[in-house]
Amino acid sequence: MKRICVFLFSGTGMTKYVVDKMKPALEKLQVQVDVYPIEKAQIPGIPFSTYDAVGIAYPVHAFNAPKIVINFAKQLPEALAANVFLISTAGEDHPVNYSSSRLLTRILNRKNCHVFYDKQLYMPSNFAIKYDEPKVEQLMAAVNAQIPQIAQDIANSASCKRESGFFSKFMASVGRAEWFGAVFIGKLFYADQKCCHCGMCADNCPNHNIVNGEHIRFQWHCGLCMRCLYLCPRHAIKVRQPFTFISFDEWYQNEELSVGRKD
Ligand SMILES: Cc1cc2nc3c(=O)[nH]c(=O)nc-3n(C[C@H](O)[C@H](O)[C@H](O)COP(=O)(O)O)c2cc1C
Ligand code: SF4
Ligand code: SF4
């Protein structure tokens, strides 16, 4: 039996949805799958040598892998020499996203890893634009239809590469400014009077950016993953002007699209 592991980062559950579907599809093909949430992964304890392949799954943020994923990849052991597959989710099927794995792949190559598979899937957007229900259903049906083939490909170490042109490479470089922008935009988050101090936002922030004290306080390490905004049971977290547009009032109704929570 083959063994693989997947390091998963999912701000609001879209990428987790894909990995949750992939796991049973791979197990059907006699591939054992261990999933490690990136925000909790303890690299020294991970038995890398026992895995036939290592996966990294992430949402596209500003045409890139999120900074938390890049930082995680940098911490992977030197000379890891693993076969790596990448799964990303984006809100838009647009060539501008096609270089999202470029920096990540470069870092992995430095660790002597071979990225054999790089697949991007399109899920409902969690940023600025909320899709209507027919589009959500259409996107999810398209993802579900692709899962068996993705599982087959990974089980068979088949290759999957995306052509990325100058434009997407340029946009990926420019998009990394979002890492700095995120900490400033995160400072414009606030909890309004509906907050009941349940602590759910602070407990689930992957960057430990929220302090649940007398007031909910947002610090300087926001990664703009959007989790706290949609996880809050009181819809109390808001963003000040001029960035109110980044979140929508209500999360998707589809119950399979749950916002990620700490187990
Ligand atoms: C800060 C931020 C930036 C984003 N940038 C892009 C982008 O450049 N291209 C895109 O297609 N989607 C973008 N999205 C949408 C997400 O990639 C998409 O909704 C993804 O499936 C969310 O996955 P998650 O729930 O696992 O975090 C962005 C989302 C956020 C929060
Ligand atoms: S999740 Fe919402 S209600 Fe709970 S502490 Fe955070 S802001 Fe307040
Ligand atoms: S503060 Fe909210 S948006 Fe920022 S990293 Fe934490 S959970 Fe994500």
Side-chain angles (χ1 to χ4, degrees):
M1 187 187 231
K2 274 192 171 182
R3 289 188 77 205
I4 65 168
C5 68
V6 181
F7 293 102
L8 165 69
F9 179 68
S10 180
T12 56
M14 302 296 180
T15 315
K16 183 174 184 300
Y17 174 90
V18 172
V19 171
D20 284 349
K21 297 274 174 191
M22 275 172 53
K23 187 171 155 61
L26 280 156
E27 285 167 351
K28 249 193 198 169
L29 301 170
Q30 304 299 310
V31 180
Q32 188 194 315
V33 184
D34 294 337
V35 179
Y36 299 98
I38 280 181
E39 67 233 59
K40 288 188 267 174
Q42 300 288 327
I43 290 176
I46 292 166
F48 286 104
S49 60
T50 67
Y51 293 119
D52 298 293
V54 170
I56 301 181
Y58 67 88
V60 175
H61 280 186
F63 324 120
N64 280 281
K67 193 173 182 205
I68 190 170
V69 175
I70 296 294
N71 287 345
F72 168 79
K74 285 181 180 165
Q75 286 166 31
L76 286 168
E78 289 302 323
L80 177 63
N83 283 324
V84 176
F85 59 93
L86 304 178
I87 302 289
S88 55
T89 68
E92 200 69 59
D93 180 2
H94 194 284
V96 74
N97 291 319
Y98 289 2
S99 292
S100 77
S101 60
R102 199 158 173 255
L103 177 60
L104 182 58
T105 302
R106 221 185 298 149
I107 293 165
L108 291 165
N109 288 344
R110 274 191 235 129
K111 314 254 173 195
N112 216 5
C113 292
H114 166 56
V115 178
F116 67 94
Y117 195 82
D118 182 358
K119 182 80 179 171
Q120 195 159 86
L121 293 154
Y122 304 101
M123 286 289 284
S125 164
N126 65 354
F127 192 76
I129 299 163
K130 186 179 178 185
Y131 294 163
D132 61 22
E133 284 307 314
K135 182 157 181 182
V136 169
E137 276 173 30
Q138 182 197 325
L139 287 171
M140 289 175 71
V143 164
N144 293 343
Q146 291 177 79
I147 295 289
Q149 186 61 54
I150 293 171
Q152 282 276 1
D153 290 347
I154 292 170
N156 298 330
S157 307
S159 169
C160 172
K161 291 276 156 72
R162 257 192 326 272
E163 285 304 314
S164 60
F166 169 79
F167 179 58
S168 69
K169 287 176 189 158
F170 172 74
M171 291 305 285
S173 305
V174 173
R176 273 170 230 141
E178 186 251 4
W179 295 344
F180 304 101
V183 297
F184 290 101
I185 298 173
K187 278 308 264 184
L188 298 177
F189 284 25
Y190 67 98
D192 70 14
Q193 70 287 351
K194 293 196 290 301
C195 170
C196 63
H197 290 275
C198 67
M200 216 184 255
C201 54
D203 291 347
N204 287 281
C205 171
N207 289 7
H208 308 290
N209 188 46
I210 306 173
V211 179
N212 179 17
E214 195 183 334
H215 304 287
I216 295 295
R217 197 157 49 81
F218 292 85
Q219 305 184 92
W220 288 98
H221 345 281
C222 182
L224 218 52
C225 74
M226 309 299 278
R227 188 181 297 170
C228 59
L229 286 154
Y230 301 127
L231 186 66
C232 173
R234 299 284 180 106
H235 306 293
I237 301 181
K238 302 281 182 300
V239 189
R240 290 192 174 87
Q241 289 289 5
F243 293 103
T244 47
F245 71 92
I246 70 172
S247 71
F248 26 85
D249 290 342
E250 290 278 335
W251 186 239
Y252 292 99
Q253 293 304 306
N254 185 312
E255 59 187 35
E256 283 201 281
L257 297 181
S258 63
V259 180
R261 288 174 194 206
K262 210 191 250 178
D263 296 327

